[in-house]
Amino acid sequence: MNMLLWSTDVSGPEFDPVFAMLRDAGFDGVEIPIFDREIDTYARLRGRLENLGLEALAVSARGGDDNPISADPAVRAEAVAATRANLDSAAALGASLICGPLAAPLAVFSGAGPTDEEKAWSVAYLQEVAPYAEERGVTIALEYLNRFEMYLTNTSADLAELVRAVGHPRIRMMYDTFHAHIEEKDPAEALRSCADVLVHIHVSENDRSTPGTGQVAWAETFDAIRAIGYDGWVAIEAFGDALPELAGATKIWRRMFESPEQLARDGAAFVRGGLGLRERPRR
């Protein structure tokens, strides 16, 4: 479960009851937002999650101040520093993977499509941070976004091509059903096109609410996940209107579910059913 449904910072003990609920609901792990450069807070959270039997993953994003494809070399250097800091935090958390839009910035646009130079800048930045990711034992799962949130990569094929150009095993990609619903013609073909570099999947409904209640082509998606032999993490990502700063970033102006707990429990049951997984035994 991606924890951005609750907050951009879930490192404090006040979120322990939420983690316990998620474990009871059948989740194996949680995606922890990392939008700072803390180390100790994530190390402490690691211990609490381990006590609950939850594995930790991490999620972050690049923006205008640390844009990997900026024309300004100083800004590109800040992207390297920010991603290295994310890797330090993820390692302290015990996360084997950090995902999100890390190859290009979220909600930063040039007014045109991506240039060859911008693609080259992204590849060079990723090649620079890849050895540090190896040192920290954390894989970077890059995310492509829809055209309204990013312009460098908008499809699985676009991002897979960029990942292959980097040519490092710690630089891989993820697939998100929300963005795919907007940009892909066929989810099965989209998943096949990136299968060799795919290490993470976000399950997200077309309106960002409870998976299985909207328009995403779920049967085709689940069938394709099984067909390509994918056996990595599948994480639910959903957003609500509780946090004004996050609602503004995700463009969520109304609540489309009963409660975060309802969404998590119903979503877990739906995804486990769709993937043919047994219900996880409760502790």
Side-chain angles (χ1 to χ4, degrees):
M1 184 74 203
N2 181 296
M3 295 302 295
L4 286 170
L5 182 59
W6 286 270
S7 179
T8 56
D9 180 2
V10 296
S11 60
E14 65 271 21
F15 289 97
D16 288 358
V18 177
F19 293 129
M21 178 274 291
L22 292 172
R23 179 63 179 82
D24 181 71
F27 288 90
D28 301 293
V30 285
E31 278 183 9
I32 303 299
I34 295 178
F35 294 113
D36 54 34
R37 301 193 180 189
E38 294 293 325
I39 298 294
D40 292 343
T41 54
Y42 295 110
R44 290 191 292 269
L45 176 57
R46 174 181 185 172
R48 300 201 306 276
L49 293 175
E50 287 175 348
N51 288 339
L52 287 168
L54 285 170
E55 294 190 46
L57 305 172
V59 59
S60 193
R62 297 282 68 85
D65 294 335
D66 49 20
N67 178 359
I69 60 172
S70 170
D72 186 341
V75 177
R76 298 200 303 274
E78 181 57 26
V80 172
T83 300
R84 285 172 62 97
N86 288 161
L87 291 165
D88 288 336
S89 298
L93 180 64
S96 61
L97 179 146
I98 184 167
C99 65
L102 295 164
L106 170 66
V108 175
F109 296 94
S110 66
T115 65
D116 289 342
E117 188 173 34
E118 288 170 328
K119 293 177 184 177
W121 282 332
S122 184
V123 168
Y125 141 78
L126 291 166
Q127 289 174 332
E128 184 171 351
V129 299
Y132 195 68
E134 179 64 39
E135 181 182 325
R136 304 305 283 151
V138 181
T139 296
I140 299 174
L142 304 172
E143 183 175 17
Y144 71 90
L145 307 181
N146 68 76
R147 75 194 75 176
F148 308 109
E149 298 182 46
M150 177 187 284
Y151 71 96
L152 185 72
T153 56
N154 298 131
T155 69
S156 61
D158 288 344
L159 184 52
E161 181 180 7
L162 185 134
V163 169
R164 294 182 193 116
V166 176
H168 195 286
R170 286 293 180 180
I171 305 299
R172 289 294 182 257
M173 67 171 283
M174 59 169 288
Y175 178 90
D176 185 304
T177 60
F178 170 80
H179 300 295
H181 177 74
I182 296 172
E183 298 292 347
E184 306 286 4
K185 299 290 189 185
D186 176 5
E189 177 55 33
L191 284 160
R192 285 193 296 268
S193 73
C194 66
D196 61 312
V197 288
L198 180 68
V199 297
H200 196 56
I201 291 175
H202 270 178
V203 167
S204 189
E205 193 50 90
N206 71 286
D207 63 354
R208 293 296 204 182
S209 68
T210 310
T213 63
Q215 301 174 356
V216 169
W218 291 115
E220 295 87 343
T221 298
F222 289 137
D223 285 348
I225 290 172
R226 288 190 293 267
I228 64 173
Y230 177 80
D231 64 354
W233 284 99
V234 176
I236 292 176
E237 183 181 58
F239 297 110
D241 60 352
L243 298 169
E245 69 276 15
L246 193 55
T250 56
K251 309 299 186 290
I252 301 294
W253 315 123
R254 67 192 191 281
R255 173 169 288 194
M256 292 166 283
F257 50 88
E258 179 183 325
S259 69
E261 179 171 353
Q262 166 268 314
L263 187 154
R265 290 187 181 276
D266 290 352
F270 174 74
V271 173
R272 284 188 171 277
L275 292 173
L277 303 175
R278 292 192 301 259
E279 182 178 358
R280 178 168 181 165
R282 296 183 180 182
R283 295 175 62 184

